[in-house]
Amino acid sequence: MAESLRRLVNIGTFTVLQEKLERWLDNYYINTCDQNVARCCEIIELNAKVQGQLFKLLQVTAESGGMYGGASIIKSRLLPFLGQNFFTSGGSVTADTSLSVLAESAAKNREIDDLQDMYETSLNELEADLKDKEAENQDLRDELLEAKDNLNRSLRESTSNKMLGEVEVRELRRKLADAQDEIHKLRSKAGLVDDYERQVRNLRDELSLASTKKSYLDNDVYSSLGAYRYTPRVGSPLSIDDPVQRVRQQNYISRWNDMFSQDRLDAMDTLRRYSDDYENNQRIIFLAIQEAFSVAKLAFRQFKMKVRANLAATHIGPETLEEAVQDYINRNTDLCDLTGMVADVIRALNRSPKVFLPPDATFSIVQPFIRESCKLAWNMSALAHPLDIAVATDAELFDNNKYRRSYDSEYTAPLVNHHIWPALMQGAKVLMKGEACTRRGASLGASRRSRSPTRSVSPSPRPRSRSRSASPSRRIRSRSVSPSRSRSPFSSGAW
C-alpha cells in the first residue's frame, strides 16, 4: 500500500496535469475547435488514470480494515461527493434524474440495513426464547419423572396420596403441553426470518437494477442524439395531418382493438388458472393497463425533456426546437426501458389493495400482457398528438359516451361497480369506447366475488351506435370479435 502511494507521488502526475492545463490556457484562443477538444480529451484521460489509481488505493486501504473497514467514512464523505459531482452537469443529464437515482439507491440501502438489523434481532430473540422454552420443557420433564416416582411411592403407602399424585401428574402434563405449544409457535414465527431474507434479496436486486438501468438507456440516447440530423420536411411534424401522425394513430388504434380481443383474453385465461374470482381478474387486467399508461407517460416526459435539453445546445433552425424534438422522437420511438416499466407496473399492482392473488402466485404471471401494454402506451404517448385513456374510478357515475355496459350489468344501476376496459381518448375526444360493469350499491370497497366468468366483446368506436356484450351462453371458449376498423390509405404501416 505504502509503496503504491510512493510510486504515485514520484510519478508527479498532478504536476503534469497542471502543466497541460496551463499550456492549454495559453494557446486556447490560438487553437482551433478540434485542437481545443483534443486538449480537453487528453486532460480528461490523464485525470481518469489518476482517479483509477486513487480508487485502487482506496480499495486496498479499506480492505486492510476488514469487511467493514472505512465504511462510515465512505458513507459520510465519498457518497455525498458522488451525489453532488459524479454525474455530468448541464444539458446531458438533468439534476432531477441524477438525484432521483441517488435517492432511490440511498433509500434501498437504508431499507436493506433496517431489514438486516430486524432479521438479526428477531433471530436472536427467537433463539433465546427457544432455549428458554427448551430449558423449561426439560425442567417439566424432570418434575414429571419425579412426580411419577413420588406417585409410585405414595401408591404403596396409601390410596389418599394416590389421588393427590394423579392431580399433580395432570397438572404437570398440562404444563408440558402448554410448553410444547409455545415451542411450535416460536418455530412458526421463525418462518418470518425467511421472509426477511427474501425481502433483502429482492431489494438488492432492485438496487442493482436501479443503478444500471439509467446508464444503459442514456448511452443509447446520447449515441442517437450524436448521429441525429434534421431533414427538411414539407409539413410540420407537430401537425395533426402529418403522415406519421395519421399512419401511426391508425395502427395504434388497431393494436388497441387486438389488445382487447386477444391479449386481454389470454391474460384472463392465465389468471383463471390461479384464481376463480372473475371480477378480481377483470380488475387486475384493468389496473395493469391503467398503471402501464401512467408509468409510460412519466417515462416519456423524462425522455422528452432529455432530448429537448440536448438538442437545444446545437439547434440552429430553420425549424422550431419543438419540431426538431418531435422529429427525433418519431425516428427513435424504440428508445424506451420496457423492462423497467414492466417492473414498475408489477410493483404498483403489489401495492394496490383492490386486487389480490393466491399466495402461490404473483402478478408476474401476466407479464406478457403488461409488457405489450407498456409498449403500446409508450408509442401512443410519443405521438405529436398523443392518445391516452380516460380517468376512471370505482363507483363513478356511468358515462354512456365513454363506456358501454357488460352483459352481466344491472342496466338500471347508475354507478360503475368496476371497469373492464378503459376508453381511448385524444384530448377531449373519445376514439374508442371502453367497457364497465354497473350494479346497484357499487362502492369503493375491495373486489367482491363475481357471479359468472364471462368474456366481453371488443370496444366499439365512438361514432358507432351502442353495442352490448356477448351472450353468457357463448362465453366458454369463444373468442370475442373485434369491431370493423376504419380504413385509411396509410393503414398498412408497420406497428
Side-chain angles (χ1 to χ4, degrees), residues 245-390:
Q245 171 75 27
R246 287 186 293 168
V247 171
R248 292 185 178 179
Q249 179 172 324
Q250 289 293 332
N251 291 336
Y252 296 159
I253 292 176
S254 175
R255 178 57 181 151
W256 177 261
N257 288 331
D258 293 339
M259 285 283 293
F260 180 84
S261 59
Q262 298 294 331
D263 300 64
R264 182 185 68 89
L265 298 182
D266 293 339
M268 289 292 291
D269 290 339
T270 302
L271 289 171
R272 192 177 294 114
R273 300 191 193 107
Y274 298 90
S275 173
D276 59 352
D277 191 331
Y278 187 70
E279 179 180 318
N280 177 65
N281 294 344
Q282 287 182 326
R283 290 177 183 268
I284 292 175
I285 296 299
F286 180 80
L287 185 59
I289 195 167
Q290 201 175 35
E291 291 295 338
F293 269 85
S294 177
V295 170
K297 288 188 292 185
L298 177 60
F300 177 73
R301 283 196 296 269
Q302 296 175 351
F303 171 75
K304 189 173 183 179
M305 287 190 297
K306 185 182 300 182
V307 172
R308 183 185 291 109
N310 281 274
L311 291 181
T314 58
H315 178 70
I316 57 176
E319 75 286 348
T320 64
L321 177 61
E322 290 301 322
E323 288 178 339
V325 170
Q326 187 60 44
D327 181 70
Y328 174 85
I329 292 173
N330 290 342
R331 299 184 188 184
N332 300 274
T333 55
D334 57 338
L335 293 179
C336 61
D337 182 19
L338 273 180
T339 304
M341 288 192 290
V342 170
D344 292 340
V345 172
I346 293 177
R347 280 194 291 269
L349 291 176
N350 288 326
R351 292 193 298 266
S352 176
K354 296 182 179 180
V355 294
F356 60 88
L357 279 178
D360 58 340
T362 64
F363 292 106
S364 299
I365 61 178
V366 291
Q367 183 173 350
F369 175 80
I370 296 175
R371 184 179 182 84
E372 292 301 318
S373 300
C374 292
K375 182 178 180 181
L376 180 59
W378 172 274
N379 289 328
M380 287 183 172
S381 301
L383 292 174
H385 298 268
L387 306 182
D388 199 358
I389 59 175

Side-chain angles (χ1 to χ4, degrees), residues 317-487:
E319 75 286 348
T320 64
L321 177 61
E322 290 301 322
E323 288 178 339
V325 170
Q326 187 60 44
D327 181 70
Y328 174 85
I329 292 173
N330 290 342
R331 299 184 188 184
N332 300 274
T333 55
D334 57 338
L335 293 179
C336 61
D337 182 19
L338 273 180
T339 304
M341 288 192 290
V342 170
D344 292 340
V345 172
I346 293 177
R347 280 194 291 269
L349 291 176
N350 288 326
R351 292 193 298 266
S352 176
K354 296 182 179 180
V355 294
F356 60 88
L357 279 178
D360 58 340
T362 64
F363 292 106
S364 299
I365 61 178
V366 291
Q367 183 173 350
F369 175 80
I370 296 175
R371 184 179 182 84
E372 292 301 318
S373 300
C374 292
K375 182 178 180 181
L376 180 59
W378 172 274
N379 289 328
M380 287 183 172
S381 301
L383 292 174
H385 298 268
L387 306 182
D388 199 358
I389 59 175
V391 178
T393 58
D394 290 346
E396 69 177 354
L397 189 64
F398 179 77
D399 188 350
N400 191 47
N401 294 325
K402 293 182 180 179
Y403 302 98
R404 53 176 167 68
R405 289 181 170 90
S406 60
Y407 86 92
D408 55 347
S409 298
E410 296 178 5
Y411 287 88
T412 58
L415 299 181
V416 175
N417 182 66
H418 67 279
H419 294 83
I420 299 174
W421 194 251
L424 187 62
M425 310 282 292
Q426 188 175 48
K429 179 182 178 182
V430 179
L431 299 180
M432 300 293 292
K433 277 188 176 183
E435 186 169 336
C437 178
T438 58
R439 289 176 188 163
R440 292 192 176 276
S443 65
L444 294 173
S447 173
R448 300 175 296 179
R449 286 282 179 182
S450 63
R451 296 175 291 182
S452 176
T454 61
R455 293 182 175 178
S456 306
V457 299
S458 175
S460 60
R462 173 68 180 88
R464 294 181 180 271
S465 59
R466 181 173 58 187
S467 60
R468 301 300 183 189
S469 301
S471 171
S473 61
R474 302 173 59 186
R475 71 177 183 265
I476 302 301
R477 295 304 303 166
S478 64
R479 289 282 181 175
S480 300
V481 180
S482 177
S484 60
R485 308 181 182 97
S486 59
R487 298 297 180 180

